[in-house]
Structure formats: structure tokens, C-alpha cells
Amino acid sequence: MSRFPYRGATHLFLLREGEILLSRRFNTGFMDGYYSVPAGHIDGGETARECIVRESREEIGIEVRSTDLEMVHVMHRYSDEEIIYIDFFVTTREYAGEIRNCEPEKCDELSWHPLDALPENTIPYIRRAIEAVQRKELYSEFGWEKR
């Protein structure tokens, strides 16, 4: 019997003084013009933590250590494309390097936003995860009502 395959992604919540780092998607074909956080799909053979270590370097030019990452939320998500995801949301207080937009062909803005005043055009599941983390909820579900 074959098992149902999930897709996995890891998202980085970088926080400072009541703000979160957001990136506005551009020219990606998914939610362009909407804000997200540094993130990426977990590649085969890669852990969730290894994924965000790689993505942090590729997207925003910082080095994070997997041992400095703190898991703050997990979301079981049914996407608009009818793909089922397990999304891991992590944070860290420690990183090396200067935050910069390393993928201008995929991101046209990288900026800090107040946690209590997110842009209207924040990707809905990202907004839900940010709100869940503020409520200290470890787990949530998103998109299942669409199926």
C-alpha cells in the first residue's frame, strides 16, 4: 500500500521589537504582490531546519545555525492547488551577516512590519501562522474547508 505524500516547507520568523521581516513576492507565479516570510520547500534528504538554514542564506544573505532555531508553529495546510503541506515555522535570535534581498528576481521588497499591523496583502496562511504564534499556539490547520 502506498502512503499519501505530503510536501514540506519551512518559514523563518525574524522578529525585532514587535516587528517581523516580510518579503513581497514578485515574478514567482504564486501570490505575487503578497507578503510572506523567508521560506522554502524542503528538498529530499533535507530536514526542516536544514531547509531554512539554506533558504536564509539564499534569500536574505544571513547565516543561521540549526541549533539556534526554535520551532514556534506547525501548520497542516490544504493549498489552493490541492496540495497538502506540513509547514514548519521557526525563529532565531542569532544569525550572522547583514539582511539583504538576495533574490530580487523573486522579491521586490524586504522590510520590517509591526506584528499588530500586517499589510493587508499578507498571504493568508502566513498571517494565520503569525497570529497563532502570538497566541502561543503550536499547531493549526488551514484551507481544509475548501476541499
Side-chain angles (χ1 to χ4, degrees):
M1 171 162 81
S2 66
R3 302 228 182 241
F4 185 83
Y6 288 93
R7 289 202 186 162
T10 307
H11 309 262
L12 180 63
F13 285 0
L14 277 183
L15 305 169
R16 71 169 193 198
E17 300 174 9
E19 295 181 316
I20 188 166
L21 183 70
L22 298 179
S23 59
R24 190 169 57 198
R25 298 180 63 83
F26 169 74
N27 201 31
T28 67
F30 175 76
M31 302 295 290
D32 289 332
Y34 281 76
Y35 287 92
S36 187
V37 294
H41 291 102
I42 300 169
D43 290 341
E46 182 177 61
T47 69
R49 288 179 180 196
E50 290 168 340
C51 169
I52 206 60
V53 167
R54 175 180 52 78
E55 291 290 350
S56 297
R57 184 180 320 107
E58 291 174 1
E59 291 186 14
I60 60 173
I62 63 171
E63 296 293 330
V64 297
R65 293 186 312 216
S66 63
T67 54
D68 290 333
L69 295 170
E70 177 187 355
M71 187 73 59
V72 291
H73 193 70
V74 176
M75 181 180 284
H76 193 196
R77 178 170 56 95
Y78 188 87
S79 75
D80 291 339
E81 298 86 23
E82 299 183 358
I83 299 169
I84 298 173
Y85 281 90
I86 303 293
D87 290 309
F88 299 95
F89 297 87
V90 300
T91 191
T92 186
R93 290 184 177 90
E94 303 292 329
Y95 61 87
E98 297 279 329
I99 295 171
R100 66 188 190 285
N101 183 0
C102 296
E103 295 184 328
E105 71 283 0
K106 296 180 184 177
C107 168
D108 66 358
E109 181 184 320
L110 189 62
S111 52
W112 295 93
H113 295 266
L115 285 164
D116 60 356
L118 297 173
E120 286 296 317
N121 57 332
T122 300
I123 294 175
Y125 77 89
I126 297 296
R127 177 185 298 276
R128 175 89 55 89
I130 291 168
E131 292 167 351
V133 169
Q134 290 178 289
R135 291 188 303 269
K136 300 192 183 320
E137 294 174 5
L138 185 56
Y139 173 82
S140 68
E141 297 170 351
F142 184 88
W144 291 92
E145 65 282 354
K146 299 174 195 173
R147 63 185 168 116

